[in-house]
Structures are given as structure tokens and as C-alpha cells.
Amino acid sequence: MKAPARKPEVFAVALLRRPFFWIMAAIVVGFVVAPGIGDNVELREDLMLAAVYVTLASNINLILGYAGYVNFGSIVFFGLGGYFTIYFMSALGWGLAAATLVGGLAVSAFAFFFGLGILRLRGAYFALATIGVNEAVQAFVTNFTPWGAGTGIYLSTELFLPLGGPGQALWTIYYALVGVMGASLYLSYFIKISKFGFGLRAIGENEDAAAVLGVPTPRYKAMVYCVSAFLPAVAGGLYFFKGAFIQPVDAFDLNFSTEAIVTTMLGGQGTVFGPALGAFLYEQLRGWLLT
């Protein structure tokens, strides 16, 4: 006899009783409160970059740590999210929230489309294909006139006025990036404890065996590739809006993807907090060595 389905309210209560849920909430609150003490702009900028690294690492962990696919081209989501956001705001006059959300959805659709093709490859072939996708997108954007081609797109400072001017906008962007970071942690957590997450980990252990046992491997891989694109794209939109400028060489820097993989493995791939911790420590060490 089939076991009764777990009621949503029972599942919610069970989640609230898990220590991880509150630990993640405490991390997000710490990021929100810390730079506000004494209006510490230097700490804000430091934690803002850390939030970006954590977002990238947590989302690349979905496909690397859970499904076992090494994605060297994850920065393409970050860069495309930045381009969509900047273009929507500069050319179409959209607000920041609408531009980043629609940009994230557009990049997710792009990831799903390409994922159906390149996720038929495995191992080193898939890793090389992701590098190829990044290089191809960079070449396209470099020659795409509506997006400024190789010179990029500059934003007018007037676009910061709805957020209270450039100074206040930096704080708004910071809180938004911290929110994206928190969403990335919770997304990783919820996927890991879900049926979908169990299927992904089965693919990571042995994809052929998972398929024999009934896991819809092509659909699951395309779905996680799509999901892992949304929040990095939103983070990319916020990050490049902060700088009021975007160009291909910065948006699709392959070193950023490599760093995300390193931080994921450094902290512990396949875990929720591992990639986040690795990203935070890496960013702090990197900043200390560069000073």
C-alpha cells in the first residue's frame, strides 16, 4: 500500500526544526547587519564580492556536486544576466527588479536549450563543451552591435535616481546580492533533500545505473542546468549594474568559472555549506593577498 503524501504544513514544520535552516538564516542576517554598523563601506564591498562568490559556488555545486558534471562555462550565466539587465535598463527603460528577473529567466531558458544538447556529453567532453559555449557567446556578444559590441554598454547615472541616487543604490544592490546569496543557499538545501536531489546524486554516482532504476536522467540534467543559471544571472545583473558598465572581456572571464569550481571543491562539493564556506574563505584570502 502506498504511503500517504506528506502534507505541506507538516513538511514546513519539519524544515523549521532542522538546524541548517536557522544557520543559513543567521549567515544572511550577519551579512545584512555587519556593514551597517558604523556605515562600514569597505566591509560592505568586501562582503558584496563574497556574496557573489558564494552565489556562483552554491549554484555550480548543483551540477558539479550533485550531478557530477564539471561546468567550466558557468560564468556565461553571470555575464549574460549582466548584459540582459543592462540592456533592458539602458535601452528599454526598465526598472532594476524587472530587468534582473526577466534577465534571469531569459538566461535560464538559454541554459535549458543548450543543456539538452551538451548534457548528452560526459566527463571531459562536457567540460570542454561548456568552455566552448562560453567562448562562442563571448564572440557573439563582442560582435553584437545592440549590446555595444566590443566596447560594451555604459549606464547613465540617472538610472540610479529611483534607488535614491548612486550612494543609496550601492546599499540597495548590496542587500539584493545578499538576498540572492541566501536564496542560493536555500535552493541548494531544498534540492538536496528533495526527490529531485536524490535523483541528481544518483546520476553523480552512476548515471547508467540511475537510468536503469527509473531516474529520467536527460530531463533531470537539463533541469538542474537550467536552475543553476537563474540566480547567477540575477547576481550578474546586480553586479554589473553596480559598476554602471559591462563589456565582454569582464562578463565572460573564464577565470571566474575556474575560481567557482575551485571554491566548490575547496569547501566540499555535494554539501550545502561547503561551497559557500570555500567561496567565502577564498575571497577573503584573495583579498588579503592582493592588499
Side-chain angles (χ1 to χ4, degrees):
M1 183 176 179
K2 188 177 180 181
R6 202 173 187 183
K7 294 182 178 181
E9 58 270 20
V10 175
F11 182 67
V13 171
L15 283 177
L16 292 175
R17 291 177 177 175
R18 292 174 181 257
F20 275 10
F21 186 92
W22 297 107
I23 293 174
M24 288 186 289
I27 292 173
V28 173
V29 170
F31 267 72
V32 170
V33 173
I37 301 174
D39 197 26
N40 194 331
V41 175
E42 183 179 353
L43 180 60
R44 182 197 67 196
E45 294 300 308
D46 188 27
L47 292 180
M48 184 183 296
L49 189 57
V52 171
Y53 272 102
V54 171
T55 298
L56 293 177
S58 293
N59 282 276
I60 202 173
N61 184 54
L62 299 179
I63 190 165
L64 170 62
Y66 295 167
Y69 277 71
V70 181
N71 181 10
F72 277 104
S74 62
I75 195 61
V76 74
F77 307 144
F78 187 76
L80 279 177
Y83 262 103
F84 275 117
T85 298
I86 298 299
Y87 177 75
F88 289 153
M89 297 187 73
S90 62
L92 305 181
W94 288 17
L96 178 61
T100 53
L101 290 176
V102 175
L105 292 173
V107 174
S108 292
F110 165 86
F112 185 80
F113 174 76
F114 275 90
L116 290 174
I118 65 174
L119 283 165
R120 296 178 182 274
L121 303 173
R122 300 188 188 181
Y125 298 104
F126 172 78
L128 291 173
T130 59
I131 297 176
V133 169
N134 184 70
E135 294 302 310
V137 171
Q138 182 175 353
F140 171 79
V141 172
T142 302
N143 294 280
F144 190 53
T145 304
W147 281 2
T151 58
I153 307 175
Y154 289 86
L155 284 179
S156 169
T157 55
E158 294 180 357
L159 293 174
F160 291 92
L161 294 179
L163 299 177
Q168 182 59 40
L170 292 177
W171 283 101
T172 302
I173 294 168
Y174 171 71
Y175 293 133
L177 280 171
V178 171
V180 172
M181 180 195 72
S184 298
L185 292 173
Y186 280 108
L187 175 66
S188 178
Y189 177 62
F190 289 141
I191 286 180
K192 184 172 184 178
I193 64 175
S194 68
K195 177 183 176 182
F196 179 48
F198 283 115
L200 291 176
R201 294 204 297 279
I203 292 172
E205 291 292 334
N206 191 318
E207 186 170 343
D208 293 325
V212 170
L213 293 174
V215 177
T217 55
R219 178 160 58 88
Y220 271 28
K221 290 188 296 182
M223 286 171 60
V224 75
Y225 195 63
C226 172
V227 170
S228 69
F230 179 73
L231 290 173
V234 173
L238 294 168
Y239 180 81
F240 287 106
F241 174 72
K242 170 183 174 290
F245 170 67
I246 187 171
Q247 61 179 353
V249 68
D250 295 327
F252 305 105
D253 185 359
L254 199 60
N255 289 330
F256 224 167
S257 285
T258 305
E259 289 175 338
I261 293 174
V262 169
T263 56
T264 300
M265 293 183 170
L266 176 65
Q269 65 189 71
T271 63
V272 176
F273 285 124
L277 180 61
F280 181 79
L281 294 177
Y282 175 85
E283 192 279 329
Q284 295 298 311
L285 178 61
R286 179 175 177 272
W288 179 73
L289 291 174
L290 290 176
T291 55

